[in-house]
Amino acid sequence: MTREEFVKQCAKMGIGISLFPGLLASCSEEETPVVAFSGKVLIIGAGSAGLMAAYTLQKFGIDFEILEASDRYGGRVRILENFADFPIDIGAEWLHTSPSVFGELIDDESATGEIDMIPYKADTMYRWNGDQLRRFNIVSTYYGEYKFKTSTWFQFFDQFIAPKFLDKIRLKTPVVGIDASGDQVVVEDDQNNTHVADRVIVTVPLTILKNNFINFRPSFSRPKQAAIDKSIMPAGIKVFIKFKEKFYHDIVQVSVDGLRDSERIYYDAAFRKGRQDHVLGLFAAGEGARELTDLEDDNVIIEAVLDELDQIFDGKARQHYIKHVVQNWSAEPFIQGSYSFGGENYEDTIDFLLEPINDKVFFAGEAMNKDYWATVHGAGLSGIETAKEVLRRP
Amino acid sequence: MNKNRIFTTFFLVLLAAFAQAQPELNKASIGYFSHGGIHPGGKIGAEYVLSEKMKPVSEVERKISLLMNPQIGGFIRENFYTGILVNNELGLQRQRTDRKRYSIYSIGLGYLHFVEVVDYTVNLQGEITNKTRENRPYFFPSVNYALGRDIGERFGIYGKLTYGMRMTSARENATQLFVEFGMKLGLNN
Ligand SMILES: Cc1cc2nc3c(=O)[nH]c(=O)nc-3n(C[C@H](O)[C@H](O)[C@H](O)COP(=O)(O)OP(=O)(O)OC[C@H]3O[C@@H](n4cnc5c(N)ncnc54)[C@H](O)[C@@H]3O)c2cc1C
């Protein structure tokens, strides 16, 4: 039995893990005790990884606080309400794995609650090459993901995760320095306030690490710095447009500059939600997004999007247009892009990205999950794993 | 020609072929049948010989058989859909008398039925607690290619590709691919 299995087994038997960490340590078959750490942890960033790290520490009765730069928690998981007759995920929207992952994230046999899901397999799939709209419905045989039906990714965190420690999330606190050279770690925010803890879990996006927004002391090891420099987190944007009529297909993939694998898709955001409103979503990342995110402002972006839609659908976009919202993730000061794009030998790169500083500053986030990088659940699982890693070390 | 007329004509041709010939039940087949090559299932079928003729090829002969191949298959894609295909094919089998290998080119007309999962509820342990399903029937004309090999007197193996269009007036047509591997058992003496 592995340690994970053992912990699960204890939970099933009703043994309160947070009440008996010492008991767990003595039960473990592994040499490293499960909870060898007691002290304070600071989590930097309240996205999926940060929230799940906090949720895990809370379970084990560890003292912690989350410092979040923006005025809300969720990170790249964000909700848009009152735009249509259903809530919209204006950041991450799809579940790119089996819904059984909710069980893995919550990891609590006694938790109660339900989530309505849609098996997301579009019926009508097209590709736009800048000139012609071509049907490629056969792809739906191979394509399939999941989506929330009545709620959103944000509501998953808002309902089932964050309420357990809302009082421990400190918003509008951008961290600018982390000093792990002493006995304790000293974290400095942009108002020159210092926060002291025994361990720190950093869950900020790759871009924030790449552009040295946070000053680390001691600085990263060479391989870690090289891994950060090598990693890519390109542009990302989402646009939602409400129309009077549904004149579009379930999915239209746009080939940008002949790049077939560019991520730019228009999709029916109301697909199988059983609602009245017609909302078309645009999701773009990488090169497919940059053409838009580089534009001057949201007004210019929406004009470019409507131009493209009018081209694809013979002028129907402007004819049926009601309203829109643009979420330019590249322009968000504490995100600055979409998600990590992997690349060659990315799994090895992740080992370096995860490398702690002085065994006191640990890392987690979507870019650091070997199995599911670039996803919400991957970020969440990475947060859980890093929190457990902190617990394992005295 | 609209798609209903194509179906009707094709169906009548199949019926006529079957009625005029004196079909002889030749083989039964059983195989692994998959939607798109990845969503697994199974299929059983029968093979009737409608007519047969020999054609000389250099020093040997090639047997050309007109076959009728009714079949039924099922497949599943977990959490997404379950499907049934009832299909009848009319095909030409070509086999040199000195070779064990043969190929069959056929056209088929079938009824494809999907039971699609449209939504479901997941509890916080990640278990699916309640599924809503929807029936979706389609016509399914197809072209097929099979490659087979006789291994003994009454036994053989085959692999087959089915490429077709699922059609209904309720929604847009979509091409479908099925991949099949199986064995055939000879039934006549
Ligand atoms: C347009 C778009 C669409 C996507 N679609 C999907 C999808 O459909 N499905 C899916 O699974 N994934 C999707 N993703 C990816 C997914 O959103 C991310 O992988 C995941 O949410 C990242 O979680 P995280 O916790 O690693 O990072 P984040 O969510 O970015 O959280 C990091 C947090 O750190 C904060 N922060 C940054 N700097 C500082 C600082 N200096 N001090 C304090 N706090 C700081 C940020 O404000 C943020 O709240 C999408 C992403 C984008 C951009």
Side-chain angles (χ1 to χ4, degrees):
Chain A
M1 192 191 284
T2 63
R3 192 190 58 81
E4 292 266 335
E5 286 164 349
F6 174 76
V7 173
K8 278 188 188 157
Q9 207 53 47
C10 284
K12 274 187 195 148
M13 286 155 58
I15 299 171
I17 290 166
S18 53
L19 292 177
F20 301 112
L23 173 71
L24 269 178
S26 61
C27 293
S28 172
E29 285 179 12
E30 286 174 19
E31 283 190 12
T32 328
V34 171
V35 181
F37 170 78
S38 65
K40 182 168 180 180
V41 181
L42 277 176
I43 299 169
I44 317 301
S48 171
L51 293 173
M52 290 315 301
Y55 176 83
T56 309
L57 296 178
Q58 173 97 347
K59 259 196 203 168
F60 284 81
I62 299 291
D63 183 21
F64 70 90
E65 199 176 359
I66 307 183
L67 305 180
E68 164 57 45
S70 70
D71 58 357
R72 62 188 96 193
Y73 57 84
R76 280 167 271 176
V77 170
R78 191 179 292 180
I79 192 172
L80 171 66
E81 285 175 298
N82 307 321
F83 180 82
D85 58 356
F86 57 93
I88 292 175
D89 263 314
I90 202 153
E93 186 172 355
W94 283 265
L95 171 63
H96 296 301
T97 189
S98 156
S100 62
V101 79
F102 294 131
E104 239 179 292
L105 290 168
I106 298 233
D107 193 18
D108 177 358
E109 292 296 318
S110 63
T112 53
E114 287 188 330
I115 306 166
D116 289 338
M117 298 299 293
I118 300 164
Y120 186 78
K121 186 184 70 63
D123 291 325
T124 54
M125 297 180 78
Y126 281 73
R127 179 175 281 144
W128 170 252
N129 64 8
D131 183 36
Q132 270 179 314
L133 194 58
R134 289 235 171 92
R135 188 162 65 185
F136 72 138
N137 287 340
I138 192 171
V139 176
S140 74
T141 311
Y142 302 96
Y143 172 70
E145 308 192 271
Y146 302 89
K147 261 175 112 167
F148 292 79
K149 181 171 181 178
T150 46
S151 70
T152 55
W153 252 128
F154 178 79
Q155 284 161 309
F156 170 79
F157 290 100
D158 196 42
Q159 282 171 16
F160 304 122
I161 306 296
K164 296 192 161 44
F165 47 81
L166 273 182
D167 54 328
K168 293 182 178 172
I169 307 178
R170 199 182 280 206
L171 300 173
K172 298 190 205 162
T173 312
V175 167
V176 292
I178 299 177
D179 184 349
S181 55
D183 278 352
Q184 286 199 299
V185 190
V186 181
V187 172
E188 192 189 337
D189 66 30
D190 69 341
Q191 301 299 309
N192 296 331
N193 299 314
T194 52
H195 311 256
V196 179
D198 301 288
R199 302 282 183 272
V200 169
I201 300 179
V202 178
T203 71
V204 302
L206 264 181
T207 42
I208 303 295
L209 294 178
K210 272 172 105 77
N211 64 20
N212 302 319
F213 187 93
I214 302 174
N215 178 32
F216 287 87
R217 261 191 72 197
S219 48
F220 299 140
S221 71
R222 272 188 190 204
K224 186 174 176 93
Q225 186 62 56
I228 291 170
D229 293 343
K230 182 178 147 191
S231 307
I232 314 162
M233 180 169 146
I237 189 167
K238 281 185 95 168
V239 178
F240 290 90
I241 312 173
K242 191 165 160 184
F243 289 108
K244 285 177 231 149
E245 263 178 39
K246 180 179 185 277
F247 54 85
Y248 39 85
H249 308 290
D250 294 343
I251 288 184
V252 174
Q253 188 193 357
V254 178
S255 317
V256 181
D257 288 341
L259 290 175
R260 287 195 135 209
D261 55 354
S262 120
E263 299 239 52
R264 178 142 126 209
I265 60 166
Y266 290 100
Y267 60 96
D268 176 11
F271 180 77
R272 286 200 185 160
K273 291 203 185 254
R275 296 304 165 114
Q276 306 301 314
D277 284 350
H278 305 298
V279 180
L280 179 74
L282 162 65
F283 155 72
E287 279 307 299
R290 212 160 51 85
E291 286 182 357
L292 296 171
T293 57
D294 280 357
L295 295 173
E296 225 168 288
D297 59 32
D298 290 359
N299 293 330
V300 186
I301 293 175
I302 188 64
E303 287 306 317
V305 169
L306 287 170
D307 282 349
E308 184 164 74
L309 284 170
D310 272 341
Q311 237 189 315
I312 301 174
F313 298 108
D314 300 328
K316 292 203 179 83
R318 282 196 171 80
Q319 191 186 331
H320 296 296
Y321 170 88
I322 300 176
K323 61 176 177 174
H324 75 272
V325 61
V326 173
Q327 173 62 50
N328 183 350
W329 286 100
S330 299
E332 287 285 324
F334 302 111
I335 304 290
Q336 301 182 10
S338 56
Y339 40 78
S340 56
F341 256 43
E344 221 174 290
N345 303 326
Y346 191 59
E347 284 171 18
D348 301 337
T349 306
I350 290 177
D351 284 333
F352 293 114
L353 292 177
L354 280 170
E355 189 184 88
I357 303 176
N358 276 0
D359 274 349
K360 291 196 189 82
V361 179
F362 293 78
F363 294 82
E366 58 85 10
M368 298 175 208
N369 184 307
K370 282 195 179 172
D371 299 318
Y372 314 107
W373 68 75
T375 64
V376 178
H377 65 282
L381 293 171
S382 151
I384 294 173
E385 203 34 62
T386 299
K388 287 184 177 172
E389 185 63 29
V390 168
L391 296 177
R392 272 194 283 268
R393 300 186 187 205
Chain B
M1 211 182 327
N2 71 25
K3 59 189 177 193
N4 288 341
R5 264 206 249 160
I6 299 175
F7 292 142
T8 319
T9 315
F10 181 61
F11 190 62
L12 290 175
V13 169
L14 273 186
L15 266 186
F18 198 71
Q20 275 175 26
Q22 290 176 332
E24 190 185 325
L25 181 59
N26 185 34
K27 286 176 184 169
S29 65
I30 180 160
Y32 168 80
F33 178 60
S34 70
H35 187 211
I38 50 174
H39 310 307
K43 195 178 192 192
I44 52 171
E47 194 176 284
Y48 292 88
V49 178
L50 301 182
S51 74
E52 227 166 50
K53 73 172 179 221
M54 293 294 186
K55 230 176 147 187
V57 199
S58 53
E59 265 138 57
V60 288
E61 287 189 304
R62 176 175 282 141
K63 187 165 81 180
I64 298 182
S65 322
L66 182 64
L67 303 176
M68 172 88 114
N69 182 202
Q71 52 204 266
I72 179 162
F75 48 91
I76 185 159
R77 182 175 180 187
E78 212 195 336
N79 292 342
F80 282 86
Y81 52 76
T82 312
I84 292 180
L85 173 64
V86 183
N87 199 25
N88 197 5
E89 286 162 20
L90 192 63
L92 279 183
Q93 173 172 330
R94 289 148 52 91
Q95 182 172 26
R96 274 171 58 152
T97 45
D98 61 335
R99 299 248 170 101
K100 292 185 183 304
R101 203 182 62 204
Y102 61 84
S103 48
I104 303 174
Y105 300 87
S106 61
I107 46 173
L109 182 64
Y111 170 75
L112 182 60
H113 190 101
F114 276 81
V115 181
E116 299 246 5
V117 177
V118 284
D119 60 47
Y120 54 78
T121 309
V122 189
N123 66 21
L124 297 190
Q125 284 66 44
E127 296 151 351
I128 292 173
T129 53
N130 187 21
K131 278 186 186 172
T132 317
R133 295 183 172 85
E134 199 176 278
N135 285 307
R136 295 190 171 183
Y138 302 93
F139 276 118
F140 185 66
S142 64
V143 287
N144 307 266
Y145 174 71
L147 195 63
R149 188 179 174 85
D150 295 327
I151 289 181
E153 281 286 293
R154 288 166 159 272
F155 182 73
I157 53 170
Y158 72 97
K160 182 173 166 187
L161 284 178
T162 295
Y163 185 76
M165 180 75 85
R166 89 183 178 189
M167 294 169 137
T168 168
S169 52
R171 56 186 58 82
E172 218 172 79
N173 299 341
T175 40
Q176 308 283 299
L177 179 74
F178 292 94
V179 182
E180 195 179 333
F181 299 100
M183 55 192 183
K184 289 189 180 177
L185 303 169
L187 295 178
N188 53 10
N189 294 320

